[in-house]
Amino acid sequence: MVSTGPETNTSKDSTAQEDTSATSASFVTTADHKLQICSCGWRKVTSFRGLRIHQGKKRCLSKESQGPRIDLFLRKESNQSNEVHQLDENHSLESISTPVRDEENPSIELAVEETSAAESTQTPRPAVERRLPGYKLHVKWPGAAEKKVWEMVNDDLCRSLEQLRGTAEKKLENMGNIIYEYGAEHFGVLQPKVARQAPSPPVSRRQQKIKCLVQELRQLRKLWKKAPEAEKEGINILQAEIKTQLVSLRRAENFRKRRRKKEQTRTRFYKDPFKFLKTLFTKEKSGVLQTTKSDLEEHLRVTHSDPKRHEHLTIPSDIPPIDPPEHQCLYGDGVLKLPLTSLTEEFKCAKTRLQMTLNESQDPVVRENAPTLATGRKWTPARAVEEATAALRHADIVGNVQQGRGGLGLTTSRPAWRSAAPPARRKMVVEEVRRQEEAARWAKAVALGKQGRWTRWEGVEKRKMSWRDVWAMDAKSLSFTIRATYDVLPSPTNLHQWFGKDPTCVLCAKPASLRHILTGCKTSLTQGRYTWRHNQVLKILASTLEGKRSSINSQLLSTHKTSWETAFVREGATAARSNSKPSERSQLCPARDWKMLADVGKQLVFPSEIATTTLRPDLVLWSPSLRKVYMVELTVPWEDSMEEAYERKHLRYSELAAEARHQGWNTEVRPVEVGCRGFVGKSATKLLRDMGIRGQSLRTAIKAASEAAERSSQWLWLKRNDPSWAPR
């Protein structure tokens, strides 16, 4: 037995070498079969599928996770019987090994090299999803109430754990993996949630049009470079047309983006005003705080504490008593409405809204045990809600009251308290609280002798300024607008009242109040300062009316008669719908031969075909076919004297109007007033509406006239102490 051992080994080695060489040859010729080596020591020339079949039968895959061992082939040279023992042995979990190439066996080395070369020529396999080490998906375990399922799971896991071989420590190490694999196989795993990508914003038709025009423009540029000189002129015309369209479309798109950004900003402000303001005035924190807590507390204590805060401070006797500042209507529904609100009013409205929410709660416990809201001693939300509710109930009894100069039924209706829903009642109560606050401010403004003069203005349109208007104005213009409205500019009379200075005017030696400087100084009138301001406003008015006149004259005269009367319908009948576009309401529509003269630039001569006179109205608008004439006279007065200026100008041209009527002309005298501080009279608004200027065009014209008067008056104010006059 011993003597035959070497021979047997020699024969086996030769047989192995022959098999290896045959394997190498077959491997070179056949790409599907190659030498497959398993971690358990098994090796055979077969396909990859054969290797997987072997690993499935011998359960070699579950043993590969225990770590590599490379001493399998190193012990082969020392004892040939060790190889047979390794092939037949029932390996434990510790005996899992990783095959390595034997350096001393050239046949095996060649086979392995050829195997790696063949693997590199094969088609690459799909990549396996890799996860972070130690991360496993959650198993969909059954519910705790399913006792039968859990009993079955317990029995299966017990049988699986009993089949494990090795020490107790190794079994404990692999128990978690076995339980996880069992749960994943029988119950499945929870797939991770895929983060939803934010949907891309939809592309509008305008954006698509802009993109197409840009591409067309690029193509035209390329064609222009290659085109001859005769064709370049036509390409330039096409490029100019496309650029014009692009400018219009991009302007509209930018306006849409700005409006959307403004809406988003407003939404963020309404959602959380404090957070919004914090983002405006604070920067994001960055860095690491490298200080101790005790040092930080000491720094805060030294910086923000006052050691003398408990001491009683007394006012020195040499300081005169300071009167409280007079109230200025910087907020509220006054003649100058700024985009500001009263903090007191907002506080009261918030508390009132909360009180109404508690009172109107659907929960009887909350409604009957509503807590008392914390406020000051002078005002309580409960009393405010009670007073507002009583006022609304009284308004239901009184009904709609006629206000203004409109006819019966032209007043705006208001919702009834008795039939309103809880949300509507809450809103009505808050609006009533705002109305009471506005009434209190108005009563206080009326009692002010100087700052409350605007409450006695008649025939003046209210001026509303938005945040855009405020930001567009420089600080000096905004200061002049506000202080001139309430007559608190440092005029000589105000300085005399405040500090006892000389109140006389530098130009005419009369008391120089703000009214005197802007409208009453004879020296300024002689120098032409007021005439210059008058012409600045007249240019705006003449430009607006000239544009409307040209537009009317360029239109075709309609054959059907336009009627502006209201079409009444009998009781029970329905009004007939008309598909025709409503006609434009303008007193210029009946004719297409309107002519206009303006007293701007050169001296106006009244048309001799109407009447012969030396009077010169600021604007004359007439139609020979209709024998209709409008005489417009502009005045830039002090706002308190608008009604007086209207009557004075109307009386001045009454004789000329009578003479024109005697000649067969339908004559209208239209005095127009624009205040020297930028407040437009209602007569100007009525004139523009009668001429057919409405909507955005009307607002633009009124704003331009107001700004022209205000800028001119500001220049007069700056030049109040300058004897030499030079227009701006």
Side-chain angles (χ1 to χ4, degrees):
M1 295 293 290
V2 176
S3 60
T4 58
E7 297 177 358
T8 306
N9 294 339
T10 305
S11 62
K12 288 182 180 180
D13 292 342
S14 60
T15 305
Q17 292 178 1
E18 293 176 358
D19 294 342
T20 306
S21 61
T23 303
S24 303
S26 62
F27 172 74
V28 173
T29 57
T30 306
D32 294 335
H33 291 72
K34 59 184 178 180
L35 179 62
Q36 304 288 348
I37 302 175
C38 183
S39 61
C40 66
W42 177 88
R43 59 187 183 277
K44 185 178 180 181
V45 178
T46 180
S47 62
F48 182 75
R49 184 171 179 272
L51 175 63
R52 287 302 186 189
I53 293 174
H54 162 75
Q55 292 175 345
K57 289 181 179 180
K58 298 300 182 179
R59 298 183 179 179
C60 298
L61 292 177
S62 61
K63 304 174 184 180
E64 290 181 359
S65 61
Q66 295 300 318
R69 291 188 61 186
I70 59 175
D71 58 344
L72 176 63
F73 296 103
L74 297 178
R75 292 180 297 178
K76 184 176 180 180
E77 292 291 335
S78 62
N79 190 4
Q80 181 66 25
S81 61
N82 189 22
E83 179 182 357
V84 179
H85 176 72
Q86 289 177 354
L87 294 175
D88 298 335
E89 184 183 22
N90 290 330
H91 297 284
S92 65
L93 292 174
E94 294 180 330
S95 62
I96 297 176
S97 59
T98 302
V100 296
R101 186 176 58 192
D102 197 345
E103 300 291 342
E104 299 178 358
N105 196 336
S107 61
I108 295 178
E109 181 179 5
L110 177 62
V112 173
E113 290 178 356
E114 293 175 349
T115 303
S116 61
E119 288 179 353
S120 63
T121 59
Q122 284 185 347
T123 305
R125 301 173 186 172
V128 182
E129 181 182 3
R130 296 183 179 181
R131 298 188 179 276
L132 296 175
Y135 175 81
K136 293 183 179 180
L137 299 176
H138 295 283
V139 179
K140 298 180 181 178
W141 293 109
E146 301 179 7
K147 295 183 179 181
K148 294 183 179 180
V149 179
W150 281 107
E151 291 177 358
M152 181 183 66
V153 171
N154 186 29
D155 297 339
D156 295 343
L157 291 176
C158 289
R159 286 193 296 268
S160 300
L161 294 175
E162 288 175 357
Q163 294 177 3
L164 293 178
R165 297 181 181 181
T167 61
E169 291 80 3
K170 297 299 180 182
K171 290 184 178 181
L172 288 175
E173 291 179 0
N174 292 277
M175 184 172 64
N177 295 332
I178 294 174
I179 294 175
Y180 178 82
E181 293 175 359
Y182 175 84
E185 180 181 358
H186 288 77
F187 304 106
V189 294
L190 295 173
Q191 297 298 330
K193 296 182 179 180
V194 181
R196 296 181 59 186
Q197 297 182 355
S200 58
V203 181
S204 62
R205 289 179 295 180
R206 186 189 296 118
Q207 294 174 345
Q208 296 176 0
K209 182 66 174 178
I210 292 174
K211 185 177 180 181
C212 294
L213 290 177
V214 170
Q215 294 177 357
E216 293 179 5
L217 189 60
R218 291 176 181 174
Q219 294 176 0
L220 288 176
R221 289 174 181 172
K222 295 179 181 178
L223 292 176
W224 185 86
K225 294 179 180 179
K226 301 178 181 179
E229 294 296 334
E231 297 180 359
K232 286 186 177 181
E233 183 177 358
I235 296 177
N236 290 334
I237 295 174
L238 293 177
Q239 287 181 347
E241 293 179 356
I242 292 178
K243 288 180 180 179
T244 304
Q245 296 180 15
L246 278 176
V247 169
S248 177
L249 293 174
R250 283 173 175 170
R251 184 183 295 112
E253 186 66 20
N254 293 335
F255 177 75
R256 183 191 66 82
K257 290 181 180 179
R258 290 195 301 268
R259 182 175 59 187
R260 181 175 179 81
K261 183 179 180 180
K262 183 178 180 181
E263 293 175 355
Q264 293 175 352
T265 305
R266 186 188 298 111
T267 302
R268 289 190 292 110
F269 173 74
Y270 288 150
K271 185 177 180 180
D272 193 346
F274 299 100
K275 184 178 180 181
F276 178 80
L277 294 177
K278 187 177 180 181
T279 57
L280 290 180
F281 299 105
T282 59
K283 297 182 179 180
E284 295 184 359
K285 297 179 177 62
S286 61
V288 181
L289 184 62
Q290 299 179 353
T291 183
T292 61
K293 182 179 179 181
S294 59
D295 295 341
L296 179 61
E297 292 179 351
E298 180 66 19
H299 169 73
L300 294 176
R301 186 186 64 80
V302 173
T303 305
H304 299 286
S305 63
D306 183 11
K308 298 182 179 181
R309 62 182 182 274
H310 299 296
E311 298 181 5
H312 181 68
L313 298 178
T314 58
I315 300 176
S317 58
D318 56 342
I319 296 180
I322 302 175
D323 297 331
E326 295 185 0
H327 179 77
Q328 295 186 10
C329 296
L330 296 180
Y331 39 76
D333 193 15
V335 68
L336 178 62
K337 190 172 183 180
L338 298 174
L340 303 173
T341 55
S342 171
L343 292 178
T344 304
E345 179 180 342
E346 295 300 328
F347 174 80
K348 291 182 178 181
C349 291
K351 290 295 183 179
T352 303
R353 191 180 296 108
L354 180 57
Q355 185 69 38
M356 284 294 299
T357 303
L358 296 174
N359 294 345
E360 301 290 339
S361 175
Q362 297 181 358
D363 190 350
V365 178
V366 176
R367 187 170 58 252
E368 295 175 0
N369 302 279
T372 302
L373 301 181
T375 56
R377 295 180 292 103
K378 298 181 180 180
W379 181 87
T380 57
R383 179 180 297 177
V385 169
E386 183 179 355
E387 294 177 356
T389 304
L392 291 171
R393 289 175 178 172
H394 180 265
D396 281 354
I397 298 174
V398 175
N400 292 330
V401 180
Q402 191 69 25
Q403 296 179 355
R405 298 181 180 180
L408 295 175
L410 291 180
T411 56
T412 57
S413 61
R414 53 186 303 175
W417 171 263
R418 58 180 177 274
S419 59
R425 288 190 173 187
R426 191 181 309 124
K427 185 177 180 180
M428 292 169 64
V429 169
V430 173
E431 290 179 354
E432 181 64 23
V433 172
R434 291 187 184 276
R435 190 193 64 78
Q436 293 177 1
E437 288 294 315
E438 183 64 28
R441 284 195 294 266
W442 189 276
K444 190 168 185 179
V446 169
L448 299 177
K450 180 173 294 187
Q451 299 178 13
R453 286 185 179 274
W454 59 269
T455 58
R456 294 180 286 274
W457 294 355
E458 295 183 0
V460 179
E461 296 285 354
K462 293 183 178 180
R463 186 177 178 185
K464 183 178 180 181
M465 299 179 64
S466 62
W467 280 116
R468 178 178 298 180
D469 299 333
V470 172
W471 289 115
M473 299 175 64
D474 58 309
K476 293 182 179 179
S477 299
L478 182 61
S479 175
F480 176 81
T481 301
I482 297 176
R483 295 198 292 173
T485 301
Y486 302 109
D487 196 5
V488 291
L489 284 170
S491 60
T493 54
N494 285 342
L495 293 177
H496 175 74
Q497 182 179 359
W498 299 339
F499 306 108
K501 294 187 177 182
D502 185 14
T504 59
C505 178
V506 177
L507 302 178
C508 63
K510 290 186 177 181
S513 62
L514 181 62
R515 179 173 184 175
H516 173 83
I517 295 173
L518 297 182
T519 60
C521 183
K522 294 183 179 180
T523 305
S524 299
L525 179 62
T526 305
Q527 292 178 350
R529 303 191 183 194
Y530 302 150
T531 305
W532 169 77
R533 180 181 59 191
H534 172 275
N535 292 338
Q536 297 299 315
V537 182
L538 182 58
K539 289 178 182 179
I540 302 296
L541 185 62
S543 175
T544 304
L545 293 178
E546 176 62 22
K548 188 62 180 178
R549 184 194 69 84
S550 301
S551 175
I552 291 294
N553 288 345
S554 62
Q555 298 176 5
L556 295 177
L557 184 61
S558 57
T559 56
H560 65 279
K561 183 179 179 181
T562 58
S563 178
W564 297 340
E565 290 81 9
T566 304
F568 292 95
V569 182
R570 293 183 179 275
E571 183 180 2
T574 56
R577 293 185 177 181
S578 176
N579 296 329
S580 61
K581 186 178 180 180
S583 59
E584 184 180 5
R585 285 195 167 189
S586 174
Q587 295 185 7
L588 305 180
C589 286
R592 295 296 182 268
D593 57 345
W594 290 98
K595 301 178 183 179
M596 192 181 77
L597 292 176
D599 191 14
V600 178
K602 61 180 180 179
Q603 188 173 0
L604 182 143
V605 178
F606 197 81
S608 59
E609 58 180 318
I610 301 175
T612 303
T613 181
T614 57
L615 295 176
R616 295 185 296 112
D618 291 325
L619 288 170
V620 181
L621 185 63
W622 77 98
S623 170
S625 61
L626 289 180
R627 298 189 66 81
K628 177 79 173 180
V629 59
Y630 293 95
M631 291 184 290
V632 181
E633 180 66 17
L634 173 66
T635 312
V636 187
W638 185 253
E639 279 78 2
D640 293 6
S641 306
M642 276 196 175
E643 293 292 334
E644 179 184 350
Y646 180 87
E647 297 296 337
R648 184 176 66 253
K649 294 295 183 179
H650 195 280
L651 182 61
R652 180 180 180 181
Y653 292 96
S654 59
E655 295 182 1
L656 178 59
E659 183 179 353
R661 293 190 188 97
H662 183 72
Q663 297 294 336
W665 289 82
N666 186 5
T667 309
E668 289 190 19
V669 180
R670 304 298 294 267
V672 174
E673 295 81 29
V674 177
C676 61
R677 289 174 283 185
F679 293 91
V680 180
K682 294 183 178 179
S683 57
T685 306
K686 188 175 186 304
L687 172 66
L688 296 177
R689 286 178 178 172
D690 291 344
M691 296 297 125
I693 302 173
R694 300 175 181 273
Q696 183 63 31
S697 302
L698 177 63
R699 291 190 292 270
T700 303
I702 291 176
K703 183 177 180 181
S706 174
E707 291 178 352
E710 181 185 355
R711 287 195 303 266
S712 303
S713 297
Q714 184 181 4
W715 183 248
L716 295 180
W717 166 259
L718 295 176
K719 292 292 183 177
R720 65 188 182 277
N721 296 327
D722 189 0
S724 60
W725 163 248
R728 190 176 184 178

